[in-house]
Amino acid sequence: MTRTHRLFQMMTTLRRLPAPVRAVQLANEMDVSLRTVYRDIDALRGLGAVIDGEAGFGYTLIEDAALPPLGFEDDELEALVLGLRDVAVIGDPALSRAAESALAKLTARVPPRQAHRLQHAILDARRFFRPDPPRIDVADLRAATWAEETVAFSYVDAKGAPSMREVDPLGIVYMQDTNMLMAWCHLRRDFRVFRLDRMDDLRRTGQSFRPRRVPMLREYTEQLRAEAEERARCRPSATGPSADDKT
């Protein structure tokens, strides 16, 4: 590996890994010594890269317009175009527009050869049956989830029974036939999933549950995985969680 290639790879690694990136992580990723990592960090800084941090604390790359553009392998571009096209199909209106805009920006920024691959990609995403459209502003729900803010809404279950819910939103799952909110339900005092197309009158309460979203989501995901494994042992044809099982 030439030094130029190694420096480019280090920039890519700093962009890819969660910051701050410790020197030992860089050394393992690139199969080089710690001394080489420290030397290359100094070299990148000398070339104009803004890298915050130091040995023992990890490094964070501060993106700058003067830095060279992020490069992609051809397979990475194929994965991106497939993912963005699928989001354009299954996402809520705001997310669909964002996916189309992101794909257009990506096409405009990559080299001409790769732009041609994006415009004439051999991969595509089609859904013959889209989930029923939500009656709530999903963009507002996503914003509340990122802000770790409790939300309230009215809900109708599969039997047509209405209820008012107040939940801590943890994440949104886009499935084959429906989109669902994973949440901690204040009414049931337990984790629950709610179909977006059965939610109405969404309201942000202003009540924060920060910083519990990530550990709560991890706990719920592990619980769902364990339940799925148990169902698979009992019923090999069982599928994923249903918002109608426990609401």
Side-chain angles (χ1 to χ4, degrees):
M1 182 188 301
T2 66
R3 182 170 182 269
T4 300
H5 184 220
R6 192 178 68 245
L7 292 177
F8 179 80
Q9 183 180 350
M10 179 167 287
M11 290 285 288
T12 301
T13 304
L14 284 169
R15 285 182 172 118
R16 177 171 56 83
L17 295 178
V21 185
R22 299 180 67 85
V24 67
Q25 290 178 274
L26 291 170
N28 291 336
E29 285 279 332
M30 301 176 60
D31 194 24
V32 297
S33 66
L34 284 174
R35 178 177 296 182
T36 298
V37 169
Y38 299 141
R39 187 167 56 242
D40 287 351
I41 289 290
D42 289 339
L44 287 171
R45 285 169 168 165
L47 292 171
V50 182
I51 302 175
D52 191 23
E54 58 183 288
F57 295 94
Y59 299 99
T60 299
L61 175 64
I62 309 300
E63 293 290 357
D64 189 282
L67 294 177
L70 178 62
F72 294 99
E73 300 293 337
D74 288 343
D75 284 348
E76 293 173 335
L77 286 176
E78 294 280 5
L80 285 171
V81 70
L82 179 61
L84 289 170
R85 285 181 173 176
D86 197 33
V87 171
V89 174
I90 68 172
D92 59 87
L95 204 58
S96 295
R97 290 193 298 270
E100 293 170 353
S101 175
L103 185 56
K105 289 180 179 178
L106 184 63
T107 303
R109 295 293 297 274
V110 298
R113 183 188 67 82
Q114 291 191 321
H116 178 81
R117 291 179 68 95
L118 284 177
Q119 292 170 338
H120 305 283
I122 62 173
L123 301 181
D124 202 355
R126 301 288 180 184
R127 299 293 180 100
F128 294 102
F129 300 98
R130 294 192 182 193
D132 291 333
R135 296 193 298 268
I136 61 170
D137 184 348
V138 183
D140 196 31
L141 177 59
R142 292 201 310 271
T145 305
W146 276 115
E148 299 181 54
E149 180 180 338
T150 300
V151 298
F153 53 87
S154 59
Y155 192 72
V156 178
D157 66 18
K159 298 179 181 178
S163 62
M164 293 298 302
R165 300 301 179 103
E166 194 169 280
V167 308
D168 298 336
L170 306 178
I172 299 174
V173 181
Y174 291 84
M175 303 188 72
Q176 178 65 30
D177 300 317
T178 186
N179 301 330
M180 301 190 300
L181 170 69
M182 304 173 68
W184 172 266
C185 180
H186 292 202
L187 176 65
R188 304 302 187 198
R189 306 303 303 168
D190 199 358
F191 294 113
R192 290 291 187 269
V193 289
F194 300 91
R195 286 179 50 154
L196 300 190
D197 59 337
R198 293 179 179 163
M199 298 168 59
D200 214 339
D201 303 319
L202 179 73
R203 176 176 58 85
R204 297 174 65 169
T205 67
Q207 177 183 344
S208 174
F209 63 98
R210 188 185 301 273
R212 302 196 308 276
R213 187 185 74 84
V214 172
M216 289 171 70
L217 180 59
R218 184 181 299 116
E219 179 183 351
Y220 190 23
T221 301
E222 292 173 353
Q223 177 182 312
L224 290 175
R225 183 181 298 111
E227 292 175 356
E229 291 174 353
E230 180 63 26
R231 285 197 299 269
R233 283 193 291 269
C234 300
R235 294 183 295 130
S237 60
T239 56
S242 169
D244 301 324
D245 290 341
K246 298 187 297 180
T247 57

